Amino acid sequence: MFFRKVNLKLKKSSLAIIFFLLSFFCFAKGITDIKKEGGENTFSCSYKNTVRKYSLWLPETETPEGLILMLHGYGETITSFKSRTKMNDYALPSGYAVCYVSSGNEPGWNSGSGVSKKDDYGFLCALNTYLCEAYSILVSGTYLCGFSNGAFMCHYAALQKKTPFAGIIAVSGLAPLNVWEKNKANCKLDLFQVYGTKDDLVLSKKNAKENVSRGYPYIEDVTEQWIKVNSLEFEEDFMPGETSFLKAYTGLKNKMWILQVKDYPHQWPASRTTGYELSALIIDFLESGK
């Protein structure tokens, strides 16, 4: 067993060197000049003449089960997002690669709600293609996971025609209303939506009177649309924590989980208050139905 582990690590190391050398020659469409940076597993690359950064973490398995692209909130960094979410602690042992992606030279993602012309969607698609080809990951096993502005970006990506991602995990964020109304027929993929009842961005019809609407659809409208487009049926509901309620839906191709955290504000749910690690629950979502 020890010899096998060492052998796997050597194979993985050799592959990493090969792909690192190949990366300088435009390994995937749109991504060039991939270079190792000084930080933890951090790389820089060029996309449309702009420098972008990401931090990539691989499981010990020879071929990853899938890939999770982590999109930070407005003004955050890939380092702070990694520390706060603890995704590595649960994804890597389960065989998933994790990539924390920086929004680049602007503090937030271009999710269609502002005046930014930054092509974040194109970059995420190109980076996804590169990583899948470089590490033999099935494109059908790649997910976007984001918080707040990162969650807006997840929804924006989910609503594009022929999006390459298998699904999204959106924490405290939805698509801007203009993006939603124009593209809501395209939501043909997995969704794990997380929100608190005191979140003033993800509103339900029940608590809308207590909050100020900021131009996003109601959570009920999103749920109903996903059920309709994907022909989903209610599967079960349960409480992962004393103040959290989860409803699970499944269909022939896709699935949806909706997690509501009672009296929780616009934050990534912390285990010290919820009683569970959200990242562990996210891996349960990815593993469900296999």
Side-chain angles (χ1 to χ4, degrees):
M1 179 62 73
F2 175 77
F3 174 78
R4 184 174 179 274
K5 285 184 177 180
V6 171
N7 198 26
L8 280 176
K9 288 182 179 179
L10 287 174
K11 286 183 179 179
K12 185 173 167 184
S13 177
S14 298
L15 284 172
I17 293 172
I18 292 171
F19 288 126
F20 178 74
L21 293 173
L22 286 173
S23 67
F24 287 97
F25 298 95
C26 189
F27 195 87
K29 183 179 179 181
I31 299 289
T32 59
D33 300 325
I34 299 174
K35 301 175 183 177
K36 185 77 167 62
E37 294 284 318
E40 283 188 311
N41 291 26
T42 303
F43 298 83
S44 66
C45 66
S46 179
Y47 177 75
K48 292 188 175 180
N49 297 317
T50 61
V51 176
R52 306 296 293 256
K53 292 185 178 182
Y54 62 91
S55 178
L56 177 65
W57 300 81
L58 297 170
E60 288 194 7
T61 52
E62 193 168 7
T63 302
E65 288 287 326
L67 170 66
I68 307 171
L69 295 173
M70 300 289 290
L71 311 184
H72 60 74
Y74 189 89
E76 276 193 294
T77 66
I78 54 179
T79 302
S80 63
F81 197 45
K82 170 181 172 291
S83 175
R84 185 150 63 97
T85 61
K86 300 182 177 67
M87 181 59 76
N88 282 13
D89 294 346
Y90 302 94
L92 298 183
S94 299
Y96 290 88
V98 186
C99 184
Y100 301 86
V101 191
S102 171
S103 61
N105 58 4
E106 294 180 19
W109 302 92
N110 180 13
S111 60
S113 59
V115 296
S116 175
K117 295 183 179 179
K118 186 159 54 80
D119 184 15
D120 285 328
Y121 176 69
F123 168 63
L124 291 172
C125 290
L127 180 62
N128 183 64
T129 297
Y130 162 69
L131 294 175
C132 287
E133 290 181 359
Y135 299 99
S136 302
I137 303 170
L138 293 176
V139 176
S140 59
T142 63
Y143 284 79
L144 293 177
C145 175
F147 166 70
S148 190
N149 178 241
F152 305 163
M153 189 66 226
C154 288
H155 272 281
Y156 180 87
L159 296 175
Q160 302 308 303
K161 290 183 179 180
K162 297 181 179 180
T163 186
F165 306 104
I168 63 170
I169 301 99
V171 183
S172 295
L174 295 170
L177 194 57
N178 63 310
V179 175
W180 170 253
E181 291 297 340
K182 182 179 178 181
N183 302 288
K184 60 185 179 181
N186 296 331
C187 56
K188 301 176 182 179
L189 65 172
D190 293 347
L191 169 67
F192 187 0
Q193 182 69 49
V194 182
Y195 73 103
T197 59
K198 288 190 175 180
D199 189 329
D200 60 355
L201 290 183
V202 183
L203 301 180
S204 70
K205 293 178 179 178
K206 294 180 180 179
N207 70 359
K209 293 180 180 180
E210 301 174 6
N211 294 285
V212 178
S213 176
R214 297 191 180 183
Y216 302 95
Y218 290 123
I219 187 64
E220 293 91 343
D221 293 338
V222 174
T223 301
E224 291 169 7
Q225 180 68 5
W226 234 273
I227 291 173
K228 177 183 176 181
V229 170
N230 296 285
S231 300
L232 301 177
E233 295 184 358
F234 174 75
E235 182 180 24
E236 63 174 335
D237 56 11
F238 60 93
M239 296 177 64
E242 292 184 0
T243 60
S244 300
F245 305 87
L246 192 150
K247 288 187 176 182
Y249 300 80
T250 57
L252 291 177
K253 294 183 178 181
N254 301 316
K255 58 193 174 185
M256 176 177 71
W257 284 13
I258 303 295
L259 177 64
Q260 179 194 85
V261 187
K262 185 179 180 181
D263 296 331
Y264 215 81
H266 187 74
Q267 295 177 7
W268 180 279
S271 59
R272 64 180 180 274
T273 53
T274 62
Y276 58 88
E277 284 288 354
L278 177 57
S279 289
L281 202 58
I282 289 171
I283 298 304
D284 289 342
F285 170 72
L286 298 185
E287 294 286 290
S288 65
K290 284 189 174 181

